[in-house]
Every structure is written in C-alpha cells, then in structure tokens.
Amino acid sequence: AKLPTAWAHLLLVECFSIYLADKSFHSLVVKVNAQVAMLEHSIDTGGIESYYSNLYTWRHACQTNITFNSGQTLVLPEAWVRLQGVDIWWLLSVWTVRLAAYGLMILMFISLLRARIWSAEKGEYLHFTWHTKRTWWYRRLVWVMIVVSFGLPVIWMVQTIIYTSGKELQANFEVL
C-alpha cells in the first residue's frame, strides 16, 4: 500500500507557508487599527484587537466596553465597515489576500490529485513542486497577494493624510 506522503508534504510544507502569509496579513490589518486606537487612548489590551478582527473580517463589530486598571472604560461602539469610504479597502484587502491564499492551496491540491502523485519520496513529486511554481495560476495568485500586501500601507498613508487630524493623525503616523 502506498502511503500518501506527497499529500502530507504538500499540506505541511508547501501550503503551510501560504496559510501563514494569510494569517500574517490579517494580523497586520488588525494590529494596525488596534495600535492606533491604543495610542489614541494610551492603553494596551487584546480586546481592541478582537474588536478590529471582527470588523475587518466580518464587516461588523459589536459594541465592546473595556475597563482598565485605573477604572477608565473604553467604549468601542458597534460598527460596520461601510461599502463606501476608506475602510472598505481594509476589508477588501483582507479578503483578497485570504481568497488568493486559499485558492492557491486548493489549486495545488487539485493539481496534485490530477497528477496522481502519492509519494514525496519519488522524483515526480519534486518535479511537480518545481513546476507548480511556474504555472500561470500560481504566479498570478502570488502576485495578487504581493500587490495587496504592498498596497495596503500606501492606502493607509493616503487615508491618514486625507481623512485624519490631531491625535488620530499623530497615532496613525506613530504606528506607520
């Protein structure tokens, strides 16, 4: 019986880095917004990150009240990402990277299935992994992830300059 070592290798080695790229990008979007809010209020808490994670993943965050050691309460109001305005670019970037990453993994699994390779111990699996990175779909999906990842800081900077002022402007530039 043939062990499916090629599948284990594809999942644990080839696709794991794609998964980490998606998680890192999502974390960037969440942490940037959370850090700006923390700097504006001179606070540090994970509740803010959870709030922004929900907002930029699901387009909605419930009102969140966070009380700190000194008894101060931060109220993050219920919020929706509007489909017009600057926040939509944050939401779209999260989902674009996520869909490209998972699309890439799905296409890699489909390609491996179609190639009928089961063992990572044979040269045909090595040939498969080398040539997969040369396919048009692999290159385009990776390109999409790169463009969005490098484009988000540009969008953020333009958004900060045009739409913020005072303490919010200062906090954004400190996080940038």
Side-chain angles (χ1 to χ4, degrees):
K2 295 180 184 178
L3 293 175
T5 56
W7 291 91
H9 185 270
L10 184 73
L11 178 64
L12 298 175
V13 177
E14 303 292 334
C15 289
F16 189 66
S17 60
I18 299 167
Y19 170 78
L20 289 178
D22 169 56
K23 290 301 172 196
S24 296
F25 188 78
H26 181 263
S27 178
L28 169 72
V29 169
V30 172
K31 287 187 185 297
V32 161
N33 286 281
Q35 282 184 327
V36 168
M38 287 187 279
L39 285 172
E40 286 178 330
H41 296 71
S42 301
I43 46 180
D44 181 28
T45 183
I48 296 171
E49 288 183 24
S50 168
Y51 175 85
Y52 284 107
S53 179
N54 289 332
L55 185 62
Y56 291 111
T57 301
W58 307 116
R59 209 182 128 228
H60 176 258
C62 295
Q63 178 173 322
T64 304
N65 298 330
I66 303 167
T67 303
F68 299 94
N69 293 341
S70 62
Q72 289 182 304
T73 300
L74 169 64
V75 177
L76 297 171
E78 180 176 16
W80 289 85
V81 171
R82 295 175 312 217
L83 296 180
Q84 68 275 2
V86 294
D87 282 344
I88 190 65
W89 295 108
W90 290 82
L91 180 73
L92 288 174
S93 66
V94 166
W95 280 102
T96 300
V97 169
R98 177 156 290 152
L99 291 174
Y102 289 107
L104 190 57
M105 288 188 281
I106 289 167
L107 287 171
M108 289 177 73
F109 280 114
I110 290 170
S111 294
L112 188 62
L113 184 63
R114 291 179 70 198
R116 298 176 188 230
I117 299 171
W118 296 102
S119 175
E121 299 162 357
K122 296 188 177 187
E124 55 190 8
Y125 178 72
L126 189 56
H127 181 268
F128 169 80
T129 58
W130 284 347
H131 288 282
T132 297
K133 292 180 172 105
R134 294 185 180 130
T135 60
W136 66 270
W137 53 265
Y138 186 95
R139 289 178 181 225
R140 283 191 179 81
L141 289 171
V142 168
W143 181 84
V144 165
M145 293 169 64
I146 289 169
V147 167
V148 172
S149 296
F150 281 98
L152 185 62
V154 173
I155 290 169
W156 179 21
M157 190 177 304
V158 170
Q159 168 185 330
T160 299
I161 293 167
I162 294 173
Y163 297 104
T164 63
S165 61
K167 200 172 184 178
E168 185 180 9
L169 176 71
Q170 182 181 355
N172 271 276
F173 275 122
E174 284 182 35
V175 174
L176 262 169

